[in-house]
């Protein structure tokens, strides 16, 4: 009779995600994942079919969090949409948070977007990673675009501006903040970037 699994699958995947975000995919070994999660090599292979299987499941879990977190943060009444966009940009100063059941990232590089980091490292050669990364980006882009539309309905953003174009602009700046932060620039510089990005949003033209 097979022995029942005795580990918390979500916690293991969160710990593995933290390791991948810190060391990258190629810089993380099965032994590193074993040390980070507390699971032996045999258990990792049995439950996830190795390092690549752990990565795919960790990315799927990350996508599930993105589908809830940013959408909840950016959703709401039209009259508060512009300020929600502002706060979303400011939140990017500290990167994308890790799951609550694992220690925070030790530096800003470790708080970079997990999907973007994996897409840059191996997305060109790994179709499944590329698909998951695109899914992550798409769900956030849609949430930002919907918030832009809400601000347009409230008269806070130029109604002639393309919401998708603005969403791509803001997310490009946010992901660029990951890079600037990884270079060692601190919260003051990243906050200045966020405020400059907010100032770029086109306001309504008044006669």
């Amino acid at each position: 009779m097979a022995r029942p699994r005795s580990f918390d699958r979500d916690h293991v995947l969160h710990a593995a995600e933290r390791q991948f975000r810190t060391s990258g995919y190629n810089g993380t070994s099965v032994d590193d994942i074993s040390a980070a999660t507390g699971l032996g090599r045999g258990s990792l292979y049995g439950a996830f079919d190795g390092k690549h299987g752990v990565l795919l499941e960790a990315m799927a879990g990350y996508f599930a969090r993105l589908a809830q977190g940013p959408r909840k943060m950016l959703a709401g009444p039209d009259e508060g949409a512009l300020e929600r966009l502002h706060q979303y940009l400011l939140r990017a100063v500290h990167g994308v948070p890790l799951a609550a059941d694992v220690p925070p990232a030790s530096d800003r590089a470790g708080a970079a977007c997990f999907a973007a980091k994996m897409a840059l490292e191996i997305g060109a050669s790994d179709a499944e990673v590329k698909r998951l990364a695109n899914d992550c980006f798409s769900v956030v882009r849609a949430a930002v675009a919907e918030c832009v539309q809400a601000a347009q309905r409230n008269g806070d953003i130029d109604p002639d501006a393309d919401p998708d174009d603005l969403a791509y602009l803001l997310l490009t700046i946010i992901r660029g903040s990951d890079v600037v932060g990884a270079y060692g620039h601190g919260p003051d510089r990243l906050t200045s970037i966020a405020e400059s990005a907010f100032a770029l949003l086109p306001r309504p033209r008044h006669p």
Side-chain angles (χ1 to χ4, degrees), residues 119-142:
L120 286 169
E121 184 179 359
I122 60 173
S125 59
D126 191 316
E128 189 64 12
V129 166
K130 182 178 180 180
R131 182 189 66 78
L132 285 166
N134 280 332
D135 287 347
C136 290
F137 182 83
S138 294
V139 73
V140 177
R141 180 207 54 75

Side-chain angles (χ1 to χ4, degrees), residues 108-188:
R108 183 59 178 76
C113 173
F114 181 35
K117 191 165 190 171
M118 293 301 101
L120 286 169
E121 184 179 359
I122 60 173
S125 59
D126 191 316
E128 189 64 12
V129 166
K130 182 178 180 180
R131 182 189 66 78
L132 285 166
N134 280 332
D135 287 347
C136 290
F137 182 83
S138 294
V139 73
V140 177
R141 180 207 54 75
V144 174
E146 288 167 8
C147 193
V148 169
Q149 289 174 317
Q152 288 175 311
R153 289 192 297 269
N154 199 57
D156 294 320
I157 291 179
D158 183 354
D160 294 327
D162 187 300
D164 283 328
D165 285 348
L166 292 181
Y168 275 105
L169 172 65
L170 294 180
L171 288 174
T172 299
I173 292 170
I174 287 171
R175 293 286 71 83
S177 295
D178 285 345
V179 178
V180 174
Y183 285 150
H185 293 282
D188 288 347

Side-chain angles (χ1 to χ4, degrees), residues 19-104:
Q19 185 65 46
F20 286 129
R21 287 169 75 171
T22 299
S23 306
Y25 182 73
N26 292 318
T28 297
S29 67
V30 173
D31 286 339
D32 291 330
I33 298 172
S34 180
T37 63
L39 283 185
R41 291 172 61 94
S43 295
L44 285 169
Y45 277 98
F48 302 103
D49 197 26
K51 184 173 83 165
H52 191 254
V54 175
L55 173 67
L56 295 182
E57 288 207 35
M59 288 187 70
Y62 181 77
F63 169 73
R65 295 207 311 278
L66 285 182
Q68 294 298 318
R71 289 175 69 180
K72 184 179 293 186
M73 178 182 298
L74 290 164
D78 291 357
E79 58 265 27
L82 187 65
E83 182 56 24
R84 291 196 301 275
L85 286 171
H86 189 200
Q87 292 303 315
Y88 187 66
L89 285 163
L90 289 174
R91 187 184 183 197
V93 168
H94 304 291
V96 181
L98 291 151
D101 60 340
V102 295

